[in-house]
Amino acid sequence: MIESDSVRGWGDYRDGVIRVHTTLVQVEARCTLAHEIVHHEHRDDILGYCGVGWLDTRLERQVHAAAARRLIIVPELADALLWSDDPNEIAEQLVVDTRTLYTRVIDLERVEHDDVYRRLGRSKRRALDDLHAFATSRLPAPRAGE
């Protein structure tokens, strides 16, 4: 990984090198690095982008979902939901940005969702439902073809 001021956005992966912007705080750098590692593993600098907007957007969504899955595990998500109902506080406890938190919550598989429910107990289950609804309203909905 290289820190660079010439990176457009938060980071990129080109020519086998991950670059992150020098101005990122720890949480942003951690999420960006995880995202770019997924690109590296998929060899997206060679195989990934095709120049068709909706296909490239789909690829970015898939990569971000994979990175979020790695950064946020179910037991830690449940613990954070027990601690707070505020998305910013939950993200801070999990050491991720809110976009990564929202992506992970939206991407929970049924078995993971049920596991979080079980860990939360009856009195706190609504916290996950509320966070899911909030996340859905904050992340842009996929367009046709995505």
Side-chain angles (χ1 to χ4, degrees), residues 29-91:
R30 180 174 186 255
C31 293
T32 301
L33 182 58
H35 181 96
E36 299 305 334
I37 286 171
V38 174
H39 276 304
H40 166 71
E41 291 171 349
H42 293 164
R43 298 181 60 207
D44 287 338
D45 61 332
I46 297 169
L47 305 173
Y49 295 98
C50 64
V52 177
W54 69 269
L55 284 172
D56 290 345
T57 300
R58 177 195 278 173
L59 174 66
E60 281 300 308
R61 287 180 192 275
Q62 291 169 343
V63 167
H64 199 69
R69 180 168 294 283
R70 291 177 183 186
L71 293 171
I72 303 172
I73 61 172
V74 167
E76 292 175 357
L77 175 60
D79 286 347
L81 285 164
L82 286 169
W83 180 73
S84 177
D85 293 337
D86 180 84
N88 293 311
E89 290 178 351
I90 295 167

Short mmCIF file of all heavy atoms in Angstrom, two decimals, residues 29-91:
data_model
loop_
_atom_site.label_atom_id
_atom_site.label_comp_id
_atom_site.label_asym_id
_atom_site.label_seq_id
_atom_site.Cartn_x
_atom_site.Cartn_y
_atom_site.Cartn_z
N ALA A 29 -9.18 5.02 6.02
CA ALA A 29 -8.07 4.25 5.44
C ALA A 29 -8.31 2.75 5.59
O ALA A 29 -8.05 1.97 4.67
CB ALA A 29 -6.75 4.64 6.10
N ARG A 30 -8.82 2.33 6.74
CA ARG A 30 -9.10 0.90 6.98
C ARG A 30 -10.15 0.37 6.00
O ARG A 30 -9.97 -0.68 5.40
CB ARG A 30 -9.59 0.73 8.43
CG ARG A 30 -9.90 -0.68 8.81
CD ARG A 30 -10.24 -0.75 10.31
NE ARG A 30 -10.42 -2.12 10.73
CZ ARG A 30 -11.62 -2.66 10.97
NH1 ARG A 30 -12.71 -1.93 10.87
NH2 ARG A 30 -11.71 -3.92 11.33
N CYS A 31 -11.24 1.11 5.83
CA CYS A 31 -12.30 0.69 4.92
C CYS A 31 -11.82 0.72 3.47
O CYS A 31 -12.13 -0.19 2.68
CB CYS A 31 -13.54 1.57 5.10
SG CYS A 31 -14.32 1.35 6.71
N THR A 32 -11.08 1.75 3.12
CA THR A 32 -10.55 1.86 1.76
C THR A 32 -9.57 0.74 1.46
O THR A 32 -9.62 0.12 0.38
CB THR A 32 -9.88 3.23 1.55
OG1 THR A 32 -10.85 4.25 1.79
CG2 THR A 32 -9.31 3.38 0.15
N LEU A 33 -8.70 0.45 2.38
CA LEU A 33 -7.73 -0.63 2.18
C LEU A 33 -8.44 -1.96 2.00
O LEU A 33 -8.11 -2.74 1.09
CB LEU A 33 -6.74 -0.69 3.34
CG LEU A 33 -5.64 -1.74 3.22
CD1 LEU A 33 -4.81 -1.54 1.95
CD2 LEU A 33 -4.74 -1.68 4.45
N ALA A 34 -9.43 -2.26 2.82
CA ALA A 34 -10.19 -3.51 2.68
C ALA A 34 -10.85 -3.59 1.31
O ALA A 34 -10.82 -4.63 0.65
CB ALA A 34 -11.23 -3.63 3.78
N HIS A 35 -11.42 -2.48 0.87
CA HIS A 35 -12.06 -2.41 -0.44
C HIS A 35 -11.04 -2.69 -1.56
O HIS A 35 -11.29 -3.51 -2.45
CB HIS A 35 -12.68 -1.02 -0.60
CG HIS A 35 -13.39 -0.79 -1.89
ND1 HIS A 35 -14.74 -0.94 -2.03
CD2 HIS A 35 -12.93 -0.40 -3.10
CE1 HIS A 35 -15.09 -0.67 -3.27
NE2 HIS A 35 -13.99 -0.32 -3.94
N GLU A 36 -9.91 -2.03 -1.49
CA GLU A 36 -8.90 -2.20 -2.53
C GLU A 36 -8.26 -3.59 -2.50
O GLU A 36 -7.86 -4.12 -3.54
CB GLU A 36 -7.84 -1.09 -2.44
CG GLU A 36 -8.39 0.32 -2.61
CD GLU A 36 -9.19 0.55 -3.90
OE1 GLU A 36 -8.95 -0.16 -4.91
OE2 GLU A 36 -10.07 1.43 -3.89
N ILE A 37 -8.17 -4.20 -1.33
CA ILE A 37 -7.65 -5.58 -1.25
C ILE A 37 -8.58 -6.53 -1.99
O ILE A 37 -8.12 -7.43 -2.70
CB ILE A 37 -7.46 -6.01 0.22
CG1 ILE A 37 -6.22 -5.31 0.80
CG2 ILE A 37 -7.33 -7.53 0.35
CD1 ILE A 37 -6.05 -5.49 2.30
N VAL A 38 -9.89 -6.32 -1.88
CA VAL A 38 -10.85 -7.16 -2.63
C VAL A 38 -10.63 -6.96 -4.12
O VAL A 38 -10.61 -7.94 -4.89
CB VAL A 38 -12.30 -6.87 -2.21
CG1 VAL A 38 -13.28 -7.63 -3.10
CG2 VAL A 38 -12.52 -7.22 -0.75
N HIS A 39 -10.45 -5.72 -4.56
CA HIS A 39 -10.13 -5.48 -5.97
C HIS A 39 -8.87 -6.24 -6.38
O HIS A 39 -8.83 -6.88 -7.44
CB HIS A 39 -9.90 -3.98 -6.25
CG HIS A 39 -11.14 -3.21 -6.49
ND1 HIS A 39 -12.07 -3.52 -7.46
CD2 HIS A 39 -11.61 -2.08 -5.88
CE1 HIS A 39 -13.04 -2.64 -7.45
NE2 HIS A 39 -12.80 -1.74 -6.48
N HIS A 40 -7.84 -6.19 -5.55
CA HIS A 40 -6.59 -6.88 -5.84
C HIS A 40 -6.82 -8.39 -5.96
O HIS A 40 -6.34 -9.02 -6.91
CB HIS A 40 -5.56 -6.59 -4.75
CG HIS A 40 -4.37 -7.49 -4.78
ND1 HIS A 40 -3.41 -7.41 -5.76
CD2 HIS A 40 -4.00 -8.50 -3.95
CE1 HIS A 40 -2.49 -8.34 -5.55
NE2 HIS A 40 -2.83 -9.01 -4.45
N GLU A 41 -7.54 -8.97 -5.04
CA GLU A 41 -7.79 -10.42 -5.06
C GLU A 41 -8.56 -10.84 -6.30
O GLU A 41 -8.34 -11.93 -6.82
CB GLU A 41 -8.55 -10.84 -3.81
CG GLU A 41 -7.72 -10.73 -2.55
CD GLU A 41 -8.50 -10.93 -1.28
OE1 GLU A 41 -9.76 -10.96 -1.33
OE2 GLU A 41 -7.87 -11.04 -0.23
N HIS A 42 -9.44 -9.96 -6.78
CA HIS A 42 -10.23 -10.27 -7.98
C HIS A 42 -9.52 -9.86 -9.27
O HIS A 42 -10.07 -10.05 -10.35
CB HIS A 42 -11.59 -9.57 -7.92
CG HIS A 42 -12.46 -10.09 -6.84
ND1 HIS A 42 -13.57 -9.41 -6.41
CD2 HIS A 42 -12.42 -11.22 -6.09
CE1 HIS A 42 -14.16 -10.09 -5.45
NE2 HIS A 42 -13.48 -11.18 -5.23
N ARG A 43 -8.33 -9.29 -9.12
CA ARG A 43 -7.53 -8.84 -10.27
C ARG A 43 -8.30 -7.83 -11.11
O ARG A 43 -8.25 -7.83 -12.34
CB ARG A 43 -7.07 -10.02 -11.10
CG ARG A 43 -6.18 -10.97 -10.32
CD ARG A 43 -5.69 -12.13 -11.12
NE ARG A 43 -4.91 -11.65 -12.26
CZ ARG A 43 -4.79 -12.34 -13.40
NH1 ARG A 43 -5.34 -13.50 -13.54
NH2 ARG A 43 -4.09 -11.83 -14.40
N ASP A 44 -9.00 -6.94 -10.44
CA ASP A 44 -9.85 -5.99 -11.14
C ASP A 44 -9.08 -4.96 -11.95
O ASP A 44 -9.66 -4.32 -12.83
CB ASP A 44 -10.79 -5.29 -10.16
CG ASP A 44 -11.89 -6.21 -9.67
OD1 ASP A 44 -12.18 -7.21 -10.36
OD2 ASP A 44 -12.46 -5.94 -8.60
N ASP A 45 -7.80 -4.78 -11.68
CA ASP A 45 -7.03 -3.85 -12.52
C ASP A 45 -6.86 -4.43 -13.92
O ASP A 45 -6.65 -3.69 -14.88
CB ASP A 45 -5.68 -3.51 -11.89
CG ASP A 45 -4.78 -4.71 -11.70
OD1 ASP A 45 -5.29 -5.84 -11.53
OD2 ASP A 45 -3.56 -4.52 -11.69
N ILE A 46 -7.01 -5.74 -14.06
CA ILE A 46 -6.87 -6.40 -15.36
C ILE A 46 -8.22 -6.86 -15.88
O ILE A 46 -8.55 -6.69 -17.05
CB ILE A 46 -5.92 -7.61 -15.26
CG1 ILE A 46 -4.52 -7.14 -14.85
CG2 ILE A 46 -5.86 -8.39 -16.57
CD1 ILE A 46 -3.59 -8.27 -14.46
N LEU A 47 -9.02 -7.45 -15.01
CA LEU A 47 -10.25 -8.13 -15.43
C LEU A 47 -11.53 -7.39 -15.13
O LEU A 47 -12.59 -7.75 -15.63
CB LEU A 47 -10.32 -9.51 -14.74
CG LEU A 47 -9.14 -10.44 -14.93
CD1 LEU A 47 -9.28 -11.67 -14.06
CD2 LEU A 47 -9.02 -10.83 -16.39
N GLY A 48 -11.49 -6.37 -14.28
CA GLY A 48 -12.70 -5.84 -13.69
C GLY A 48 -13.52 -4.87 -14.49
O GLY A 48 -14.65 -5.14 -14.83
N TYR A 49 -13.00 -3.72 -14.78
CA TYR A 49 -13.81 -2.65 -15.34
C TYR A 49 -13.94 -2.78 -16.84
O TYR A 49 -13.00 -3.10 -17.54
CB TYR A 49 -13.21 -1.29 -14.98
CG TYR A 49 -13.25 -1.04 -13.49
CD1 TYR A 49 -12.13 -1.28 -12.71
CD2 TYR A 49 -14.40 -0.62 -12.88
CE1 TYR A 49 -12.17 -1.07 -11.34
CE2 TYR A 49 -14.45 -0.41 -11.51
CZ TYR A 49 -13.33 -0.65 -10.75
OH TYR A 49 -13.37 -0.45 -9.40
N CYS A 50 -15.16 -2.50 -17.32
CA CYS A 50 -15.40 -2.65 -18.76
C CYS A 50 -15.80 -1.34 -19.42
O CYS A 50 -15.93 -1.28 -20.63
CB CYS A 50 -16.48 -3.70 -19.00
SG CYS A 50 -18.08 -3.24 -18.32
N GLY A 51 -16.02 -0.28 -18.62
CA GLY A 51 -16.40 1.01 -19.19
C GLY A 51 -17.90 1.18 -19.36
O GLY A 51 -18.35 2.24 -19.79
N VAL A 52 -18.68 0.15 -19.04
CA VAL A 52 -20.13 0.26 -19.07
C VAL A 52 -20.56 0.65 -17.67
O VAL A 52 -20.35 -0.11 -16.71
CB VAL A 52 -20.79 -1.06 -19.51
CG1 VAL A 52 -22.30 -0.95 -19.46
CG2 VAL A 52 -20.30 -1.45 -20.90
N GLY A 53 -21.15 1.84 -17.55
CA GLY A 53 -21.43 2.42 -16.24
C GLY A 53 -22.12 1.49 -15.25
O GLY A 53 -21.65 1.32 -14.13
N TRP A 54 -23.22 0.88 -15.64
CA TRP A 54 -23.97 0.07 -14.68
C TRP A 54 -23.21 -1.19 -14.31
O TRP A 54 -23.31 -1.66 -13.17
CB TRP A 54 -25.39 -0.24 -15.16
CG TRP A 54 -25.50 -1.16 -16.34
CD1 TRP A 54 -25.53 -0.80 -17.66
CD2 TRP A 54 -25.60 -2.58 -16.31
NE1 TRP A 54 -25.64 -1.92 -18.45
CE2 TRP A 54 -25.69 -3.03 -17.64
CE3 TRP A 54 -25.62 -3.52 -15.28
CZ2 TRP A 54 -25.80 -4.38 -17.97
CZ3 TRP A 54 -25.74 -4.86 -15.62
CH2 TRP A 54 -25.83 -5.28 -16.95
N LEU A 55 -22.41 -1.75 -15.21
CA LEU A 55 -21.60 -2.93 -14.87
C LEU A 55 -20.48 -2.56 -13.90
O LEU A 55 -20.19 -3.29 -12.95
CB LEU A 55 -21.03 -3.58 -16.13
CG LEU A 55 -21.99 -4.40 -16.96
CD1 LEU A 55 -21.34 -4.82 -18.27
CD2 LEU A 55 -22.49 -5.61 -16.19
N ASP A 56 -19.86 -1.42 -14.15
CA ASP A 56 -18.81 -0.96 -13.24
C ASP A 56 -19.38 -0.61 -11.86
O ASP A 56 -18.77 -0.90 -10.84
CB ASP A 56 -18.06 0.24 -13.83
CG ASP A 56 -17.19 -0.14 -15.03
OD1 ASP A 56 -16.95 -1.36 -15.24
OD2 ASP A 56 -16.77 0.77 -15.75
N THR A 57 -20.59 -0.03 -11.83
CA THR A 57 -21.24 0.27 -10.56
C THR A 57 -21.57 -1.02 -9.82
O THR A 57 -21.39 -1.12 -8.60
CB THR A 57 -22.52 1.10 -10.79
OG1 THR A 57 -22.16 2.32 -11.43
CG2 THR A 57 -23.24 1.39 -9.49
N ARG A 58 -22.03 -2.03 -10.54
CA ARG A 58 -22.32 -3.32 -9.93
C ARG A 58 -21.06 -3.92 -9.32
O ARG A 58 -21.07 -4.43 -8.20
CB ARG A 58 -22.90 -4.29 -10.94
CG ARG A 58 -23.15 -5.67 -10.33
CD ARG A 58 -23.37 -6.73 -11.35
NE ARG A 58 -24.74 -6.71 -11.80
CZ ARG A 58 -25.19 -7.45 -12.80
NH1 ARG A 58 -24.38 -8.25 -13.46
NH2 ARG A 58 -26.44 -7.43 -13.15
N LEU A 59 -19.95 -3.85 -10.04
CA LEU A 59 -18.68 -4.35 -9.53
C LEU A 59 -18.30 -3.63 -8.24
O LEU A 59 -17.92 -4.27 -7.25
CB LEU A 59 -17.58 -4.19 -10.58
CG LEU A 59 -16.17 -4.55 -10.12
CD1 LEU A 59 -16.05 -6.04 -9.83
CD2 LEU A 59 -15.15 -4.13 -11.17
N GLU A 60 -18.43 -2.32 -8.21
CA GLU A 60 -18.10 -1.55 -7.00
C GLU A 60 -18.99 -1.95 -5.83
O GLU A 60 -18.52 -2.09 -4.70
CB GLU A 60 -18.21 -0.05 -7.26
CG GLU A 60 -17.02 0.52 -7.98
CD GLU A 60 -15.72 0.33 -7.22
OE1 GLU A 60 -15.65 0.69 -6.03
OE2 GLU A 60 -14.77 -0.18 -7.82
N ARG A 61 -20.27 -2.16 -6.07
CA ARG A 61 -21.18 -2.59 -5.00
C ARG A 61 -20.76 -3.96 -4.45
O ARG A 61 -20.78 -4.18 -3.24
CB ARG A 61 -22.62 -2.67 -5.52
CG ARG A 61 -23.27 -1.33 -5.73
CD ARG A 61 -24.70 -1.52 -6.24
NE ARG A 61 -25.27 -0.31 -6.74
CZ ARG A 61 -25.86 0.60 -5.99
NH1 ARG A 61 -25.96 0.41 -4.70
NH2 ARG A 61 -26.35 1.70 -6.52
N GLN A 62 -20.42 -4.87 -5.34
CA GLN A 62 -20.01 -6.21 -4.92
C GLN A 62 -18.72 -6.16 -4.12
O GLN A 62 -18.57 -6.84 -3.10
CB GLN A 62 -19.85 -7.13 -6.13
CG GLN A 62 -21.15 -7.47 -6.80
CD GLN A 62 -20.97 -8.15 -8.14
OE1 GLN A 62 -19.88 -8.13 -8.74
NE2 GLN A 62 -22.03 -8.76 -8.65
N VAL A 63 -17.78 -5.36 -4.56
CA VAL A 63 -16.51 -5.22 -3.86
C VAL A 63 -16.72 -4.60 -2.48
O VAL A 63 -16.17 -5.07 -1.49
CB VAL A 63 -15.50 -4.39 -4.70
CG1 VAL A 63 -14.30 -3.96 -3.87
CG2 VAL A 63 -15.05 -5.20 -5.91
N HIS A 64 -17.55 -3.57 -2.42
CA HIS A 64 -17.79 -2.93 -1.12
C HIS A 64 -18.50 -3.88 -0.17
O HIS A 64 -18.19 -3.91 1.02
CB HIS A 64 -18.56 -1.62 -1.28
CG HIS A 64 -18.42 -0.74 -0.09
ND1 HIS A 64 -17.23 -0.13 0.25
CD2 HIS A 64 -19.29 -0.40 0.87
CE1 HIS A 64 -17.39 0.55 1.37
NE2 HIS A 64 -18.63 0.40 1.77
N ALA A 65 -19.43 -4.68 -0.68
CA ALA A 65 -20.12 -5.65 0.17
C ALA A 65 -19.15 -6.69 0.70
O ALA A 65 -19.21 -7.08 1.88
CB ALA A 65 -21.26 -6.32 -0.61
N ALA A 66 -18.23 -7.15 -0.13
CA ALA A 66 -17.22 -8.13 0.33
C ALA A 66 -16.30 -7.52 1.38
O ALA A 66 -15.98 -8.17 2.39
CB ALA A 66 -16.41 -8.64 -0.87
N ALA A 67 -15.90 -6.28 1.18
CA ALA A 67 -15.03 -5.61 2.16
C ALA A 67 -15.79 -5.41 3.48
O ALA A 67 -15.24 -5.65 4.56
CB ALA A 67 -14.56 -4.26 1.61
N ALA A 68 -17.04 -5.00 3.41
CA ALA A 68 -17.85 -4.79 4.62
C ALA A 68 -18.02 -6.10 5.39
O ALA A 68 -17.94 -6.12 6.62
CB ALA A 68 -19.22 -4.22 4.25
N ARG A 69 -18.20 -7.19 4.68
CA ARG A 69 -18.35 -8.51 5.31
C ARG A 69 -17.07 -8.87 6.08
O ARG A 69 -17.13 -9.46 7.15
CB ARG A 69 -18.64 -9.54 4.23
CG ARG A 69 -18.82 -10.95 4.73
CD ARG A 69 -19.39 -11.84 3.65
NE ARG A 69 -20.74 -11.46 3.30
CZ ARG A 69 -21.82 -11.73 4.04
NH1 ARG A 69 -21.69 -12.41 5.15
NH2 ARG A 69 -23.01 -11.34 3.66
N ARG A 70 -15.94 -8.51 5.55
CA ARG A 70 -14.67 -8.81 6.22
C ARG A 70 -14.45 -7.93 7.45
O ARG A 70 -13.86 -8.36 8.43
CB ARG A 70 -13.50 -8.61 5.26
CG ARG A 70 -13.48 -9.64 4.17
CD ARG A 70 -12.37 -9.38 3.21
NE ARG A 70 -12.42 -10.35 2.12
CZ ARG A 70 -11.52 -10.44 1.19
NH1 ARG A 70 -10.48 -9.61 1.20
NH2 ARG A 70 -11.63 -11.33 0.24
N LEU A 71 -14.90 -6.69 7.37
CA LEU A 71 -14.65 -5.74 8.45
C LEU A 71 -15.64 -5.85 9.61
O LEU A 71 -15.31 -5.47 10.73
CB LEU A 71 -14.67 -4.31 7.90
CG LEU A 71 -13.53 -3.95 6.94
CD1 LEU A 71 -13.80 -2.60 6.30
CD2 LEU A 71 -12.19 -3.96 7.66
N ILE A 72 -16.84 -6.33 9.33
CA ILE A 72 -17.88 -6.39 10.36
C ILE A 72 -18.38 -7.82 10.48
O ILE A 72 -19.04 -8.33 9.56
CB ILE A 72 -19.06 -5.45 10.02
CG1 ILE A 72 -18.58 -4.02 9.84
CG2 ILE A 72 -20.14 -5.56 11.10
CD1 ILE A 72 -19.64 -3.07 9.32
N ILE A 73 -18.07 -8.44 11.61
CA ILE A 73 -18.57 -9.79 11.84
C ILE A 73 -19.80 -9.73 12.73
O ILE A 73 -19.98 -8.78 13.50
CB ILE A 73 -17.47 -10.72 12.43
CG1 ILE A 73 -16.98 -10.21 13.77
CG2 ILE A 73 -16.31 -10.87 11.43
CD1 ILE A 73 -16.03 -11.17 14.48
N VAL A 74 -20.65 -10.73 12.60
CA VAL A 74 -21.96 -10.74 13.26
C VAL A 74 -21.88 -10.52 14.77
O VAL A 74 -22.61 -9.68 15.31
CB VAL A 74 -22.74 -12.01 12.89
CG1 VAL A 74 -23.95 -12.21 13.79
CG2 VAL A 74 -23.16 -11.94 11.42
N PRO A 75 -21.02 -11.24 15.51
CA PRO A 75 -21.01 -11.02 16.95
C PRO A 75 -20.67 -9.57 17.34
O PRO A 75 -21.27 -9.02 18.27
CB PRO A 75 -19.93 -11.98 17.46
CG PRO A 75 -19.82 -13.03 16.41
CD PRO A 75 -20.13 -12.33 15.12
N GLU A 76 -19.75 -8.96 16.61
CA GLU A 76 -19.39 -7.57 16.90
C GLU A 76 -20.52 -6.61 16.53
O GLU A 76 -20.75 -5.63 17.22
CB GLU A 76 -18.09 -7.20 16.20
CG GLU A 76 -16.89 -7.93 16.76
CD GLU A 76 -15.61 -7.66 16.00
OE1 GLU A 76 -15.64 -6.95 14.97
OE2 GLU A 76 -14.57 -8.18 16.44
N LEU A 77 -21.23 -6.89 15.44
CA LEU A 77 -22.37 -6.07 15.06
C LEU A 77 -23.44 -6.14 16.14
O LEU A 77 -23.99 -5.11 16.55
CB LEU A 77 -22.94 -6.52 13.71
CG LEU A 77 -24.22 -5.82 13.25
CD1 LEU A 77 -24.01 -4.32 13.10
CD2 LEU A 77 -24.71 -6.42 11.94
N ALA A 78 -23.74 -7.34 16.62
CA ALA A 78 -24.74 -7.49 17.67
C ALA A 78 -24.32 -6.75 18.94
O ALA A 78 -25.14 -6.05 19.56
CB ALA A 78 -24.98 -8.97 17.96
N ASP A 79 -23.06 -6.88 19.32
CA ASP A 79 -22.57 -6.16 20.51
C ASP A 79 -22.73 -4.65 20.35
O ASP A 79 -23.13 -3.96 21.28
CB ASP A 79 -21.10 -6.49 20.78
CG ASP A 79 -20.89 -7.88 21.35
OD1 ASP A 79 -21.89 -8.51 21.78
OD2 ASP A 79 -19.73 -8.34 21.36
N ALA A 80 -22.41 -4.15 19.17
CA ALA A 80 -22.52 -2.71 18.92
C ALA A 80 -23.98 -2.26 18.99
O ALA A 80 -24.28 -1.19 19.51
CB ALA A 80 -21.91 -2.36 17.56
N LEU A 81 -24.89 -3.10 18.48
CA LEU A 81 -26.32 -2.77 18.54
C LEU A 81 -26.85 -2.81 19.96
O LEU A 81 -27.79 -2.09 20.30
CB LEU A 81 -27.12 -3.72 17.65
CG LEU A 81 -27.01 -3.45 16.14
CD1 LEU A 81 -27.50 -4.65 15.35
CD2 LEU A 81 -27.79 -2.20 15.78
N LEU A 82 -26.27 -3.64 20.81
CA LEU A 82 -26.65 -3.66 22.22
C LEU A 82 -26.18 -2.39 22.93
O LEU A 82 -26.80 -1.92 23.86
CB LEU A 82 -26.06 -4.89 22.92
CG LEU A 82 -26.72 -6.22 22.59
CD1 LEU A 82 -25.88 -7.38 23.13
CD2 LEU A 82 -28.14 -6.28 23.15
N TRP A 83 -25.08 -1.85 22.46
CA TRP A 83 -24.47 -0.69 23.08
C TRP A 83 -25.14 0.62 22.67
O TRP A 83 -25.26 1.55 23.46
CB TRP A 83 -22.99 -0.68 22.71
CG TRP A 83 -22.21 0.46 23.26
CD1 TRP A 83 -21.82 0.64 24.56
CD2 TRP A 83 -21.71 1.58 22.54
NE1 TRP A 83 -21.10 1.80 24.68
CE2 TRP A 83 -21.03 2.40 23.44
CE3 TRP A 83 -21.77 1.97 21.20
CZ2 TRP A 83 -20.41 3.58 23.07
CZ3 TRP A 83 -21.16 3.14 20.82
CH2 TRP A 83 -20.48 3.93 21.76
N SER A 84 -25.58 0.70 21.39
CA SER A 84 -26.13 1.96 20.90
C SER A 84 -27.13 1.71 19.77
O SER A 84 -27.06 0.70 19.06
CB SER A 84 -25.00 2.84 20.37
OG SER A 84 -25.52 4.04 19.82
N ASP A 85 -28.03 2.68 19.59
CA ASP A 85 -28.96 2.68 18.46
C ASP A 85 -28.53 3.69 17.39
O ASP A 85 -29.14 3.76 16.34
CB ASP A 85 -30.37 3.04 18.91
CG ASP A 85 -30.99 1.98 19.80
OD1 ASP A 85 -30.56 0.82 19.73
OD2 ASP A 85 -31.90 2.33 20.58
N ASP A 86 -27.50 4.46 17.68
CA ASP A 86 -27.06 5.52 16.77
C ASP A 86 -26.08 4.96 15.74
O ASP A 86 -25.04 4.41 16.12
CB ASP A 86 -26.40 6.64 17.57
CG ASP A 86 -25.94 7.75 16.67
OD1 ASP A 86 -26.76 8.62 16.34
OD2 ASP A 86 -24.73 7.75 16.30
N PRO A 87 -26.37 5.08 14.44
CA PRO A 87 -25.48 4.53 13.41
C PRO A 87 -24.04 5.04 13.49
O PRO A 87 -23.11 4.28 13.26
CB PRO A 87 -26.14 4.96 12.09
CG PRO A 87 -27.56 5.18 12.44
CD PRO A 87 -27.58 5.68 13.86
N ASN A 88 -23.86 6.31 13.82
CA ASN A 88 -22.50 6.85 13.92
C ASN A 88 -21.73 6.20 15.07
O ASN A 88 -20.55 5.90 14.93
CB ASN A 88 -22.54 8.37 14.09
CG ASN A 88 -23.06 9.06 12.86
OD1 ASN A 88 -22.62 8.79 11.75
ND2 ASN A 88 -24.02 9.94 13.04
N GLU A 89 -22.39 6.00 16.20
CA GLU A 89 -21.74 5.35 17.34
C GLU A 89 -21.47 3.87 17.05
O GLU A 89 -20.43 3.35 17.43
CB GLU A 89 -22.61 5.49 18.59
CG GLU A 89 -22.67 6.89 19.13
CD GLU A 89 -23.57 7.02 20.35
OE1 GLU A 89 -24.30 6.06 20.69
OE2 GLU A 89 -23.55 8.10 20.97
N ILE A 90 -22.40 3.22 16.38
CA ILE A 90 -22.20 1.80 16.01
C ILE A 90 -21.00 1.68 15.09
O ILE A 90 -20.12 0.84 15.28
CB ILE A 90 -23.48 1.22 15.37
CG1 ILE A 90 -24.62 1.19 16.39
CG2 ILE A 90 -23.22 -0.17 14.80
CD1 ILE A 90 -25.98 0.94 15.78
N ALA A 91 -20.95 2.54 14.07
CA ALA A 91 -19.82 2.52 13.13
C ALA A 91 -18.51 2.80 13.86
O ALA A 91 -17.51 2.13 13.61
CB ALA A 91 -20.05 3.55 12.02
#
